[in-house]
Amino acid sequence: MLICNVVGARPNFIKMAPVVLELKRLGFDQLLVHTGQHYDKYMSEVFFSDLSMPRPDIHLEIGSASHAKQTASIMSAFEDVCLQRRPDLIIVAGDVNSTLAVALVAAKLLIPLAHVEAGLRSFDKTMPEEVNRIVTDHVSDLLFATEMSAINNLCHEGISDSQVFFVGNCMVDSLVKHVEKAIVQSPWLQFGKREKAYALLTLHRPSNVDNEEILASLIETMNSVSEDVPILFPAHPRTRERLKRLKTKSMNRIELIDPQPYLTFLGLMARAKCVLTDSGGIQEETTALGVPCLTLREATERPSTVEEGSNRLVGTDRAKVFDAIADVLNDRWVLGKVPQLWDGQAANRIAKVLANWWGARSSR
Ligand code: UD1
């Protein structure tokens, strides 16, 4: 069986590394394709070395464009790869445009498709990722879920439960494997910070950064927060671009830094007093680390992080952010527990499902 694993953007690398490494350990034939959706050194290359991931066999070098152009370019280039290499199974992860594009190609060429992190729903179709998640799930043959809400969502959407597997969280596999090494490197010292005495901020959702008024108001709120706790802000390239256009340039005690490599960022998260973010994956990583997470969005597709873990949805409302920060600084935050099967063994479970699936298919 030839398995084709496809990655394209930062969160894909973290989720797929454990799968690729486990399948390699078990001796499966694999082809690793990078679409090139993320291409800057600190958005892509450093993740391969930090995660000890093999280099891609094929790089499509698609780069940035509008959603339609980017998705179409990936589809066109990836179709050629499939026609030449004829994989028996394609694996994609998460909800980025690369995931959607590859899923559509697999469906059209009738190549079985496995989706890692299936079934998550924010129920907000203005998020590009929500559309990507829904379409990918509905053309997938094997769906690997990280939490019970995902299984319920897939069941409500009529997907047969024989295709859905509750395997745990591959992002947490990477975290479990690397967190000690990340902390030993004490990355906070590079930025002159003390453990548990800084907040970490990330912002990149179009809904938060593409509208100047919303971004300006968020920065103003963060400026006020930084009076109580200094903020480290590794800014995504799109955010940095938008920040340049803002009229107010004041950043109080917010330190704007480049996007960080996986290990550095993991170490910074692990020893932060709290994390403020609009990312999906970071909500999960902070829950796994037991670090308070203030999510600057109105909804989450990862409800277990709120119901069980250390995450709270604060949206972009100033008062809610301040209340939450007061709880963090006065140690009133409930850190919760780590959700079921977020134990570092998800890739192992996925490999077992794939071996059984292939066994059943070949004996037909
Ligand atoms: C993408 C995903 C998002 C994910 C995020 C993680 C989609 C629709 N969105 O968002 O779900 O949370 O990745 O980071 O797939 N850019 C660079 N260098 C790069 C990559 C991007 O400068 O290596 C800039 C470009 O200006 C580009 C912009 O960032 O136009 C947005 O990149 P894109 O990949 O389209 O979306 P992200 O915001 O990164």
Side-chain angles (χ1 to χ4, degrees), residues 136-168:
T136 302
D137 284 341
H138 283 260
V139 295
S140 290
D141 299 275
L142 299 167
L143 297 96
F144 296 119
T146 52
E147 59 171 83
M148 285 313 291
S149 75
I151 298 192
N152 295 335
N153 294 334
L154 293 170
C155 174
H156 283 137
E157 291 174 19
I159 291 176
S160 160
D161 60 7
S162 64
Q163 293 172 254
V164 179
F165 302 87
F166 182 29
V167 292

Side-chain angles (χ1 to χ4, degrees), residues 193 219-232 248-256 318 322:
K193 299 287 181 276
I219 294 297
E220 202 185 306
T221 304
M222 295 305 134
N223 266 333
S224 308
V225 169
S226 76
E227 280 166 22
D228 293 325
V229 55
I231 296 179
L232 265 182
T248 336
K249 302 280 179 219
S250 151
M251 281 283 188
N252 211 357
R253 287 212 296 162
I254 304 176
E255 191 175 338
L256 197 62
R318 218 176 143 77
F322 289 144

Side-chain angles (χ1 to χ4, degrees), residues 9-11 36-44 63-65 67 70 95-98 128-129 132 204-206 236-239 241-242 279-280:
R10 203 162 48 166
Q37 178 175 344
H38 283 177
Y39 44 84
D40 285 348
K41 185 170 175 220
Y42 283 104
M43 299 290 283
S44 174
S64 302
H67 285 248
Q70 187 178 56
D95 54 16
V96 301
N97 286 346
S98 299
E129 294 82 1
N132 295 349
H204 75 282
R205 293 259 152 243
H236 183 290
R238 82 180 295 139
T239 310
E241 204 42 52
R242 302 291 188 272
S279 149

